[in-house]
Amino acid sequence: MLTPQPPRPPYPPPGGGSGESDESLAAGTRSGTDSEVAQSTALLIARHWQPVHEYAAICLASSTGAASMVTTAAFHQVFDRLKLGEPGTALRPRLLVTVRDTVRLWAADEGLSTVLPELRKPAGARGLRTAKSLIPENRALTERSFQNLSPVARCVLWHVEVEAESITVAAGLLGLDPATVAAAHEQAREKLREGCVRAHRELAPSKECRFYNRLLDVPIGRGGDLLPDVRQHLDACRYCRAAAEQLGHFEGGLGVLLAEAVLGWGARRYVESRPGRDRQQPVRLKGSNRRRGGGRRAARRTTLLDRIPSPRRRAADGARSPRTLLTGVGLASAGLLTTLLAAGMWSDDGGADPAASTSAAGGAASGTGSQAGPTADPTAPDTAQLPTVPGQTRLRNAAADLCLDIRGEAKAGAAVELADCSTGSTQLWAYEADGQLRSVADRDLCVDSHADAGVVILGACAEADDARADDVRYDLTVQGELLPRWGETLALASTGEDPGADVVVKVRDHSSDQRWLTDAVTASPGSLEITGTETPPAQPVELTDRTA
């Protein structure tokens, strides 16, 4: 059992102590003598124990011994995965998510709840257990974008934006020089925003939302006002209103946005508890005109966000809500709209913890009325069904950058593996409306994740009333995970990052080896683009979602 003594500050200051990055310390937990493993483990605990323990107390609504037990269990789980080869970069958000999931799991165990009365608190573990969704719907775009970033980008964003720590601290955790990390921070912010923009288009519930994609992106990115018809659309569409609100956080409040997108429950309270916020000063990033957390442009953006009318509140009493999302003030020039139309861009292709986050409760990433989002499966009312992937596509593993392929001949019982991406038919798959992942090389064969004790092979496709129907059917999450219907706490994952690696089912942990990308027609990366009538080149993007 781990017996850490929580220090303050939560880890040795960069330049002192061990001087080793989290990744090198994680590697030390996998190899070396017993004393070297113990030393690496102790240093990681010293760096991360205090904030992880504080979040456990938030989730439990109690700082008693139960918080230490949850924190210890979370470290054990994450360290076990490190020993199996998971990267050690961006450990903090991973530990925090593990704490949240551990509290929820323990709260569902009646035996544990009897022993630990803290698990029965409505404002803590019991509320967390009964929450329909841990991540607010109006943070889905940010969650998707953050999970697609590299570990280095996730680490620097989390520690600088959420933890409110200096570039020097992030550099110490990454084992890089501060100038490099400052540049990586700026690039990571842009990549995160680009991912939100791209996700808005890919998950858009209607062609109207896809059209307003760029009309949201450009004005918000430039700090300008929105066109009147865009504001009118936002009044009626919660999905686009949530997208606009998330994009508005990039000039201020990015830490809260990230925490809500990754943690959900207790996110705002965790952000407000960070010691770095008391001493945070606006800093100029190298090579950038942006001042983080301040500046006239950020102040203007905050004012703009504060003046958004909430349709629900306005319908009730005509007043303006302080929890509004986004609108412009004054009339913007119609030049942008004219330019876009002239360029042929019109497309004709057809809770979180309410006490923890105020902004997360103000909208949902779905449309309204008949356009509330993609059609939901009536048998799964808590599942947000998104459109299936059209046609046929390759499936590229996000961690390995290799494609799903068939080992040898396409026949029943053949293993499925990772291989260098090619145009071969054995790498083409059709994800059908009923959830079957069918091989284009042999349309009678589907991906079977149950027949061979969790090792993924090819098996005969099955009718819906077949006893093995769920063995060859999958749901797709927002992160691009393939969840077998016979066990949706599991996900398809690669066993390595080299060609020939097997594909198996593992406990779902949201890691990149469990995410799959597809070749799809898309607009230019990083822009909420409005496509033309002609088909642009295919580019790999994430699988669209069929489940929440």
Side-chain angles (χ1 to χ4, degrees):
M1 178 68 75
L2 298 172
T3 56
Q5 296 297 318
R8 274 199 180 275
Y11 44 77
S18 70
E20 294 186 75
S21 68
D22 276 1
E23 180 60 52
S24 63
L25 291 175
T29 66
R30 294 190 285 266
S31 60
T33 64
D34 290 345
S35 62
E36 291 170 341
V37 170
Q39 182 181 21
S40 296
T41 301
L43 286 170
L44 286 174
I45 293 171
R47 287 181 173 182
H48 298 288
W49 174 271
Q50 187 65 36
V52 176
H53 181 270
E54 290 171 358
Y55 183 58
I58 291 173
C59 291
L60 289 165
S62 171
S63 58
T64 60
S68 295
M69 294 173 64
V70 168
T71 306
T72 300
F75 272 95
H76 268 300
Q77 292 178 52
V78 172
F79 285 173
D80 284 346
R81 295 200 293 267
L82 291 179
K83 292 175 182 177
L84 294 175
E86 282 195 5
T89 306
L91 272 182
R92 182 72 56 80
R94 203 182 320 170
L95 285 163
L96 296 172
V97 168
T98 305
V99 160
R100 181 201 66 193
D101 293 344
T102 299
V103 171
R104 194 182 199 197
L105 182 65
W106 287 11
D109 189 310
E110 294 299 331
L112 276 176
S113 297
T114 302
V115 177
L116 299 174
E118 295 92 339
L119 297 175
R120 298 198 298 267
K121 289 193 173 186
R126 193 172 78 184
L128 180 57
R129 182 194 67 188
T130 58
K132 291 184 178 180
S133 175
L134 296 180
I135 304 299
E137 284 185 283
N138 65 337
R139 293 294 178 260
L141 305 184
T142 306
E143 180 193 20
R144 179 187 178 106
S145 180
F146 184 77
Q147 296 298 338
N148 284 335
L149 294 175
S150 68
V152 169
R154 293 199 300 270
C155 179
V156 69
L157 277 179
W158 189 268
H159 285 276
V160 174
E161 301 292 347
V162 179
E163 305 286 341
E165 294 167 339
S166 68
I167 289 291
T168 305
V169 171
L173 295 174
L174 290 167
L176 300 172
D177 65 274
T180 300
V181 174
H185 173 228
E186 184 69 8
Q187 185 180 37
R189 286 177 59 97
E190 294 303 320
K191 290 293 185 183
L192 181 70
R193 189 182 190 282
E194 289 173 4
C196 290
V197 168
R198 185 166 55 249
H200 173 270
R201 172 171 174 76
E202 292 169 358
L203 302 180
S206 71
K207 65 179 181 180
E208 184 180 16
C209 294
R210 288 193 292 273
F211 168 71
Y212 284 111
N213 187 284
R214 185 163 177 78
L215 296 178
L216 287 174
D217 175 31
V218 174
I220 294 175
R222 294 175 179 173
D225 295 332
L226 299 175
L227 294 171
D229 64 323
V230 178
R231 299 201 300 271
Q232 184 177 5
H233 175 73
L234 294 185
D235 284 343
C237 179
R238 290 190 301 166
Y239 176 79
C240 290
R241 195 161 67 245
E245 191 259 345
Q246 288 172 82
L247 292 175
H249 277 280
F250 279 82
E251 290 300 331
L254 183 56
V256 173
L257 176 70
L258 278 175
E260 290 173 347
V262 175
L263 302 178
W265 187 273
R268 183 173 289 272
R269 281 177 287 164
Y270 178 76
V271 170
E272 292 172 351
S273 72
R274 298 301 82 218
R277 301 213 167 269
D278 296 333
R279 56 180 180 270
Q280 187 179 49
Q281 299 292 331
V283 295
R284 183 179 295 275
L285 302 178
K286 181 178 180 181
S288 170
N289 293 324
R290 178 185 292 113
R291 289 184 181 270
R292 182 173 58 82
R296 284 191 294 177
R297 183 176 175 187
R300 181 186 182 204
R301 185 67 49 79
T302 302
T303 303
L304 185 66
L305 288 170
D306 288 341
R307 288 198 294 263
I308 305 166
S310 169
R312 178 171 50 189
R313 176 75 173 272
R314 185 174 58 192
D317 56 15
R320 290 182 179 269
S321 167
R323 294 165 60 180
T324 53
L325 299 175
L326 186 66
T327 189
V329 290
L331 294 177
S333 168
L336 174 62
L337 178 60
T338 304
T339 302
L340 292 174
L341 294 178
M345 290 181 172
W346 182 279
S347 174
D348 57 0
D349 56 357
D353 171 16
S357 169
T358 304
S359 63
S366 62
T368 57
S370 62
Q371 294 179 353
T375 304
D377 183 348
T379 63
D382 295 331
T383 298
Q385 300 289 340
L386 295 185
T388 58
V389 179
Q392 59 192 41
T393 181
R394 294 178 300 181
L395 294 174
R396 181 163 54 85
N397 185 265
D401 198 28
L402 298 171
C403 287
L404 190 68
D405 202 346
I406 300 169
R407 184 175 295 159
E409 183 182 353
K411 61 182 180 180
V416 174
E417 65 178 5
L418 295 185
D420 292 324
C421 296
S422 70
T423 57
S425 62
T426 57
Q427 290 190 6
L428 293 178
W429 307 91
Y431 181 70
E432 301 186 339
D434 62 358
Q436 293 194 100
L437 193 57
R438 194 178 293 268
S439 170
V440 173
D442 187 333
R443 293 280 182 171
D444 293 328
L445 298 176
C446 289
V447 172
D448 190 325
S449 57
H450 205 188
D452 193 13
V455 176
V456 179
I457 62 173
L458 282 184
C461 300
E463 298 296 330
D465 57 355
D466 194 303
R468 52 181 295 274
D470 286 349
D471 295 357
V472 292
R473 283 173 168 77
Y474 305 87
D475 290 321
L476 301 180
T477 71
V478 169
Q479 291 82 17
E481 299 157 314
L482 283 163
L483 310 183
R485 292 188 181 175
W486 59 270
E488 292 204 356
T489 59
L490 307 174
L492 264 62
S494 65
T495 58
E497 298 184 8
D498 297 320
D502 290 323
V503 177
V504 299
V505 288
K506 292 182 178 179
V507 174
R508 183 184 177 194
D509 60 10
H510 306 289
S511 57
S512 59
D513 65 346
Q514 294 182 0
R515 299 202 308 276
W516 302 88
L517 315 177
T518 181
D519 296 325
V521 174
T522 182
S524 58
S527 175
L528 289 169
E529 194 62 77
I530 302 167
T531 60
T533 56
E534 295 184 359
T535 302
Q539 297 182 14
V541 297
E542 284 195 331
L543 288 167
T544 50
D545 183 19
R546 295 190 69 249
T547 66

